Amino acid sequence: MKETIDYLNSNFDNYLEELKEFLRIPSISALPANKDDVNRAAAFVAVKLKDAGLSRVEIIKTEGHPLVYGEWLGAPGKPTVLIYGHYDVQPVDPLELWDSPPFEPVIKNNKIFARGATDDKGQMHVHIKSVEAFFKTRGTLPLNVKFLIEGEEEIGSENLEVFINNNTELLKCDAVLVSDSSLYAPGIPTITYGLRGLCYMEVEVTGPNRDLHSGTFGGAVANPVNVLAGMIAKLHDKKGRVTIPGFYKDVVNLTKKERANFRRFKFSAKKYAEDLGVAELSGEKGYTTIERTCARPTLDCNGIVGGFTGKGAKTVLPSKASSKISMRLVPNQDPEKIAKLFTKHIKKLAPKSVKVKIQNLHGGYPFVTQLGDPVTYAASRAMEKAFGKKTLFMRDGGSIPIITVFNKKLKAPAVLMGFGLDSENAHSPNEHFDLDSYKKGLISSVLFLSEYSG
Ligand code: BES
Ligand code: MN
Ligand code: MN
């Protein structure tokens, strides 16, 4: 493998330039105004896959943003790995909190700053370059490879799910490799063996049929902002537990063994709190911070709007208030079932004085994988060699809903070999990606392809 790894190392600066080019494309999937940019990012990925040496590369139109598919199946008898990633990114607001413009990548302190740097352009780029390095140095790959890179991960992967359902033969593989998660800490190779699911709801509360003078009418009608805030406040009890009846019914509780394993991870609550700028941590009683974020279900209001929030004071009793509320789920909670329980509970909490409209925006299943598959060993060994440390196995609190679809429809195990860091501001201003992780990611990818082929 030495020649291929040497090749990677000597071309690192070129890869960085190419990654910068990729990061300059504002492929924000959520915003209709960025549709052309999203298409440009798909085209960029397709060109790079083709240049890397894949034999068949296609941009596949969907009802939404395109998918990019690429394959090289020149190693009969060897396993086939499907590499999944996403070229779409999150919106950038609040823009004023960025130290440099989100789509003008800059390198500072050995980190590259731009929207999408860690989530997921930087992480997925690694695999394109490792495949290319194989072709350049050996003229071949040690196994069969399929790439499936989507442009709607950040908005729920709905069209990818349809595509997978209709193309199980095309996508047939022995395992799925995903680099869209985090290392436990800088320099620590980590395989993520579980992710939380998601149930994302919108609640709109309507009171009077128009905004009213809060002096003339205040006291006579229910204020939808007050009502909504009150309802949200009732969604947790004093112990930090979610109050929706039945919410915990299907939760698989942590085993003693897993809790003991979590306790072995180095973790300083003090440092964690300091870093986030909070005086103390808070969450469900009876669980550690790692357990709370990785293995317990939670409910968060993601945003709330209504009435007057401009400069100065305008006295008004607003007609409407609305909020987006997400629930992170753990095995065996079912997002559809949770959406129903949530809806029922919110309706019960709402007073007659307002109308409520509740919508289920999107969801995904949680998962925990069995660690026995050869693909997990291959990834673990590859990371171990690349990082020069023992690989940790950890669950994470984020969600990649499409992974359970791969498991179910392709009957293939997935391995999450991520290179990001929780501290890299994914979805937030000043997103960045550590260049050491990027470099080790490149090497891990080469070693993985080699390990998994044998
Ligand atoms: N890469 C993240 C998920 C992630 C983050 C996995 C950290 C492991 C560690 C992904 O791009 C993402 O942001 N997913 C969304 C879900 C989606 C349905 C919008 C999330 O977790 O909020
Ligand atoms: Mn991601
Ligand atoms: Mn994301």
Side-chain angles (χ1 to χ4, degrees):
M1 232 26 57
K2 187 174 178 311
E3 198 195 349
T4 310
I5 291 173
D6 286 347
Y7 180 87
L8 281 178
N9 283 326
S10 57
N11 280 284
F12 187 68
D13 290 343
N14 302 335
Y15 300 158
L16 259 187
E17 283 312 307
E18 186 175 302
L19 176 58
K20 280 189 191 162
E21 218 185 298
F22 192 15
L23 291 169
R24 282 189 198 106
I25 308 174
S27 47
I28 305 170
S29 50
L31 304 180
N34 291 69
K35 193 173 180 350
D36 288 347
D37 301 314
V38 172
N39 285 327
R40 268 203 297 137
F44 181 93
V45 172
V47 167
K48 298 307 166 193
L49 287 176
K50 190 99 203 136
D51 289 351
L54 297 188
S55 50
R56 169 177 169 195
V57 176
E58 280 173 44
I59 295 178
I60 298 164
K61 289 211 173 74
T62 72
E63 296 277 302
H65 299 311
L67 298 165
V68 186
Y69 176 78
E71 67 177 29
W72 184 86
L73 305 176
K78 291 289 185 183
T80 301
V81 63
L82 185 140
I83 299 173
Y84 162 81
H86 63 94
Y87 66 78
D88 65 322
V89 302
Q90 286 277 337
V92 296
D93 51 289
L95 191 57
E96 66 280 7
L97 296 184
W98 286 78
D99 294 332
S100 57
F103 297 108
E104 292 173 28
V106 288
I107 294 170
K108 272 186 299 187
N109 305 327
N110 203 39
K111 299 166 177 59
I112 184 160
F113 286 79
R115 171 57 88 229
T118 185
D119 185 11
D120 176 42
K121 286 173 171 171
Q123 292 201 52
M124 61 150 273
H125 190 240
V126 151
H127 301 298
I128 303 180
K129 293 296 114 183
S130 88
V131 163
E132 184 181 83
F134 263 109
F135 280 120
K136 289 276 199 257
T137 53
R138 306 177 149 215
T140 183
L141 297 181
L143 41 51
N144 303 296
V145 164
K146 297 178 177 179
F147 274 87
L148 184 61
I149 311 294
E150 71 157 317
E152 298 191 315
E153 195 279 338
E154 301 291 9
I155 53 172
S157 304
E158 250 173 61
N159 293 299
L160 176 56
E161 183 165 356
V162 174
F163 183 78
I164 294 171
N165 288 336
N166 295 332
N167 292 278
T168 50
E169 203 44 47
L170 175 77
L171 301 176
K172 199 168 174 245
C173 60
D174 297 293
V176 179
L177 174 68
V178 184
S179 294
D180 190 23
S181 51
S182 303
L183 304 172
Y184 181 66
I188 306 293
T190 310
I191 302 276
T192 301
Y193 68 93
L195 287 177
R196 289 196 288 187
L198 186 68
C199 172
Y200 200 111
M201 308 292 293
E202 179 166 354
V203 179
E204 193 183 87
V205 176
T206 308
N209 59 11
R210 57 189 185 276
D211 283 5
L212 302 172
H213 189 294
S214 66
T216 315
F217 293 94
V221 289
N223 178 325
V225 177
N226 295 6
V227 169
L228 180 58
M231 295 197 314
I232 292 171
K234 288 200 183 94
L235 295 176
H236 287 98
D237 67 11
K238 278 198 202 99
K239 292 184 169 156
R241 283 170 66 90
V242 176
T243 54
I244 300 168
F247 184 77
Y248 292 96
K249 183 170 166 281
D250 297 327
V251 168
V252 176
N253 282 312
L254 279 158
T255 60
K256 274 208 173 103
K257 205 173 142 202
E258 203 170 21
R259 298 194 81 171
N261 184 41
F262 283 160
R263 270 195 291 275
R264 279 204 290 272
F265 284 84
K266 251 210 266 166
F267 180 83
S268 157
K270 190 166 168 277
K271 249 186 85 196
Y272 188 89
E274 249 167 43
D275 177 56
L276 298 179
V278 294
E280 82 178 0
L281 299 178
S282 139
E284 188 184 1
K285 284 234 158 57
Y287 293 93
T288 65
T289 300
I290 290 181
E291 290 169 346
R292 286 169 178 171
T293 57
C294 298
R296 292 295 297 169
T298 49
L299 180 150
D300 278 287
C301 177
N302 294 249
I304 177 164
V305 287
F308 178 72
T309 55
K311 272 214 167 70
K314 167 189 163 189
T315 50
V316 62
L317 194 164
S319 158
K320 268 187 200 311
S322 76
S323 102
K324 308 237 181 184
I325 297 171
S326 69
M327 288 156 280
R328 296 283 168 172
L329 312 177
V330 300
N332 284 332
Q333 286 175 301
D334 175 330
E336 294 298 326
K337 222 163 135 184
I338 293 292
K340 288 203 182 94
L341 295 176
F342 176 90
T343 305
K344 195 171 158 202
H345 188 56
I346 292 286
K347 282 190 176 152
K348 220 181 86 198
L349 288 181
K352 273 217 184 66
S353 50
V354 297
K355 285 194 272 299
V356 278
K357 189 175 146 202
I358 303 156
Q359 267 178 285
N360 181 357
L361 297 186
H362 61 72
Y365 286 83
F367 77 91
V368 172
T369 50
Q370 303 310 317
L371 290 172
D373 195 88
V375 75
T376 312
Y377 287 118
S380 156
R381 278 195 302 269
M383 283 191 112
E384 210 144 299
K385 286 186 192 162
F387 286 74
K389 288 212 174 86
K390 236 181 137 40
T391 299
L392 290 186
F393 291 85
M394 190 47 171
R395 286 168 68 170
D396 203 296
S399 310
I400 310 177
I402 207 65
I403 291 188
T404 58
V405 180
F406 285 131
N407 290 155
K408 267 185 225 144
K409 298 292 163 178
L410 305 181
K411 311 237 173 329
V415 63
L416 275 63
M417 182 170 84
F419 308 111
L421 289 170
D422 289 348
S423 57
E424 288 181 329
N425 290 353
H427 296 204
S428 159
N430 302 316
E431 178 177 350
H432 56 275
F433 187 34
D434 188 296
L435 295 185
D436 278 338
S437 309
Y438 180 52
K439 201 171 243 175
K440 292 201 173 103
L442 288 161
I443 296 168
S444 302
S445 177
V446 162
L447 293 174
F448 169 81
L449 297 176
S450 148
E451 290 278 350
Y452 190 48
S453 72

